[in-house]
Amino acid sequence: MAPRIDTPGAAAQAVDQIQQLRTRISRLQESTPPSMPLETHPALAGLVQLRAGAAYSVDSATLALALLAGPSRSGGWCAAVGVADFGAEAAAALGVDLGRTVLVPDPGDQWLEVTAALVDVAAVVLVRTTGRVAPQAAEKLAARLRKRGAALVAWGEWPRCEVRLTTREPSWRGVGQGDGHLSSRRLVVEAHRGSAPPRRGALWLPGEDQTYRPERAVPVAAPVEGVA
Amino acid sequence: MVVWCPDWPVVAALADEGLPSHLPAAVFHANLVQSGNAAARSFGVRRGMRRRDAQSRCPELKVYRATPERDSRTFETVLAAVEEQHPGVAPLRPGLAALRSPRRVRGGETAAAALLAERLVELGVWDPRLGVADELFTAEQAARQASSQDCRVIAPGESVPFLRELPVESIDDAADGGDAVSLLRRLGLRTLGELADLPAAAVRDRFGPRVAWVHRVVGGAGAVPLSTRTPPPELARHVDFEPPLDNAETITFSARQTADRVVAGLAAQQLVCTEVRIDAYVEGSDDVVSSRHWLHPRWFTAADLVDRLHWQLQGGFKAGEVRAPVSRVLFTPVTVVPDAVHADGLWGGTDERVQRGIARVQGMLGHEAVVQPVLQGGRAPRERQALVPWGEKPTGLRPAAHPWPGSIPPPAPSRVLATPWPAEVVGTGGRPVSVDARGAVLGEPARFRPEPGDWMPVAAWAGPWPVEELWWEPGGRRVARFQVVGVDGRAWLMTWESPGTWWTEAAYD
């Protein structure tokens, strides 16, 4: 029931309250909440959930492309900085929309500026760095990521990343001694989150039918982490 | 009113070379004189004469090949000059144009014709002849009867008596007229009047449509309506710098307003431009120093034009292509389409924000540093994708639907090296593995080194996929591709190239 405003005092109070609410709304709108989930490739369900404003580190090109594929499938733009050996066909097979993909294969010394500029436009940015990344640079980029609601995938080491994905025990099927051809690959992906014990999952990247999926169907009710 | 410039192909050829028009010259087609100028005629050079005969009569005769494009192109300046004075010009053919009679000009048709002739002489066309009559054929004949730089006016209603007196050779101006004229002469018909006295059906059946039309005209009918042309809209814009500028940034900044005008000019015609040519001129020279075609996946906005100019000049100055200060920049829209074709849907389309953000990166690193991957057909993984600079349309892509024998079955490698790495693959005992002329593998791969570093024992391998590339050309090569899996489980695409080099082309990482 709406309060009736019939005295000048009550009216002034109401205006005041509206002002307060407006400032709160605008403060909230300033930055997207850092924990807003982004769409993630179904093969990685249960292992990692992409979140806006976070950085992820991977050690394999296929995993990097799979992380790009999620937001790209849901209509976001993706960008890759410093990836001169981008496998476009493999990316397309994983579900990356190449029409909404931009590459900067050779950013030179300006990789940080370029990445920051691309964070403004893309939902997820893949960056491959040569050498160690200074924590200050990562911190600056993290602020930008939170503001823009984008995710960063680092191919290689990245200071203070939310989840670090590593691959183990890759094994290819379909290839013999001079016969057959590479057809499917099983590998174990480990997701390291802080100092917690890693989560493991065996994946087909790709499977016999050229789809990318977990070895066993994951339970639907994957636990959703609390808001940080 | 008809404007006739006699011997136009010769006039055009001489004007193209910058030679004076009093030199004897002739234009030849199939070794026969197609047209000659007055000077050539005075030596006895006639139409239809062989080149050897023509040159024997006049050894200093200038010989040109017939090029209709040159004739039309040069005649365009005449049309523009006529259009300046009287809108609504119908070009009949190079050298001949018609316009509605300017009766209402003060001083009448004669005065208007004199003004027009004066303007054409100023342009360097020395011999314009004008004719005014009720309809087109008569006006053309009147122009042919007029003396140089003059006008012959056939009063209204006087056409028929005028035409009846003309010889039948008057028909002989089109390519199909020749036989008919000769036939008419042999039949004893000397003037158009005698032709007009024949029954219409008989003329049409025997002499073809053109003579039949002339027959109707001489009989007082058959006037054709004039279809005038609309002057082409001027879409190109240029900007001059005084004094000339030698800095890409300053030039770009000064060209901003011109770019705005180009886009506004197009918008006024409800057009957008998808391909543009940007030319830069330097001081004291008419030659273009830097010219480049730019394509846009959507259409050029003013900011896009400015960006392209910036990139072009920056590259031009860096490459030493532009050495002197630039005095003029010209934007010429090459392909324009109605803007409705490219209109954005209510939702969707490329986001403005994305365009701007990527343009910023291009500003930092240069235009070709930001690319978009595109899939295409091919055998090697590297050939199956193309990297197109952002903002350009992909061109020359190979069709992906073709079968491409020799290509590697999926899955596609996740890393495709931009330049292959030198590698090594050896068999047991350290002998390099190779492939013979029939595509059979010599030696069993035992160890390999796909990337600089340590050797890796081979766990499994597949192949070869032999391909002979461009064997019909020098520079062709014979390669065979292998998939090799190391004991660490990582798979690579290795390529053997004749006569015995190994490369790492891609990785299944």
Side-chain angles (χ1 to χ4, degrees), chain B residues 235 260-273 339:
Chain B
L235 300 174
D260 284 339
R261 283 213 307 280
V262 173
V263 173
L266 287 165
Q269 308 274 343
Q270 294 180 346
L271 296 171
V272 291
C273 168
D339 55 4

Side-chain angles (χ1 to χ4, degrees), chain B residues 314-401:
Chain B
Q314 222 175 16
F317 278 116
K318 209 179 274 176
E321 186 185 36
V322 186
R323 290 207 191 82
V326 172
S327 62
R328 167 180 282 199
V329 167
L330 172 69
F331 296 97
T332 316
V334 178
T335 311
V336 292
V337 290
D339 55 4
V341 174
H342 280 285
D344 269 337
L346 208 48
W347 288 279
T350 311
D351 203 342
E352 264 311 284
R353 195 172 55 94
V354 175
Q355 294 272 5
R356 272 205 307 274
I358 293 171
R360 208 164 76 228
V361 180
Q362 284 181 314
M364 276 187 242
L365 298 175
H367 146 250
E368 268 150 32
V370 184
V371 293
Q372 260 198 303
V374 189
L375 298 184
Q376 60 175 350
R379 297 189 172 86
R382 195 153 40 93
E383 290 166 2
R384 293 176 69 85
Q385 60 188 46
L387 301 177
V388 183
W390 172 263
E392 283 186 18
K393 241 191 237 173
T395 49
L397 294 183
R398 289 181 289 271

Side-chain angles (χ1 to χ4, degrees), chain B residues 442-453:
Chain B
L442 302 175
E444 177 104 344
R447 286 185 302 145
F448 74 127
R449 190 158 66 174
E451 46 187 347

Side-chain angles (χ1 to χ4, degrees), chain A residues 62 85 88 103 120 176-178, chain B residues 353 371 385 415 459 461 483 509:
Chain A
T62 310
D85 49 359
L103 310 178
D120 286 354
Q177 296 297 320
Chain B
R353 195 172 55 94
V371 293
Q385 60 188 46
R415 292 175 67 191
W461 60 281
Q483 289 175 330
D509 192 9

Side-chain angles (χ1 to χ4, degrees), chain A residues 44-213:
Chain A
L44 299 170
L47 280 171
V48 61
Q49 168 67 51
L50 278 184
R51 289 182 184 281
Y56 300 84
S57 135
V58 296
D59 67 346
S60 130
T62 310
L63 279 186
L65 295 178
L67 285 178
L68 289 190
S72 183
R73 282 176 164 200
S74 58
W77 281 73
C78 49
V81 179
V83 186
D85 49 359
F86 188 86
E89 219 177 341
L94 271 158
V96 175
D97 183 347
L98 297 181
R100 285 195 307 269
T101 303
V102 288
L103 310 178
V104 183
D106 182 21
D109 301 336
Q110 304 196 54
W111 69 269
L112 188 63
E113 290 83 353
V114 169
T115 311
L118 288 173
V119 162
D120 286 354
V121 299
V124 55
V125 179
L126 168 64
V127 59
R128 185 208 238 158
T129 58
T130 47
R132 212 174 71 85
V133 179
Q136 300 93 315
E139 201 49 56
K140 264 187 211 162
L141 213 49
R144 190 87 167 229
L145 287 170
R146 280 194 294 277
K147 186 145 187 258
R148 296 290 172 187
L152 183 87
V153 178
W155 181 358
E157 288 299 314
W158 192 263
R160 263 179 273 174
C161 54
E162 174 131 334
V163 179
R164 191 158 55 84
L165 293 174
T166 54
T167 53
R168 294 163 64 104
E169 308 160 25
S171 68
W172 280 95
R173 310 283 159 90
V175 58
Q177 296 297 320
D179 55 284
H181 63 85
L182 298 177
S183 62
S184 60
R185 169 174 57 168
R186 179 186 184 274
L187 49 74
V188 175
V189 175
E190 287 185 353
H192 305 264
R193 186 186 297 270
S195 55
R199 284 188 188 199
R200 263 165 213 239
L203 305 184
W204 285 110
L205 292 177
E208 202 65 57
D209 51 356
Q210 302 304 318
T211 56
Y212 297 79
R213 56 190 162 82

Side-chain angles (χ1 to χ4, degrees), chain B residues 130-142:
Chain B
L130 297 99
V132 179
D134 285 346
E135 54 74 54
L136 207 56
F137 182 74
T138 323
E140 188 185 332
Q141 297 308 322

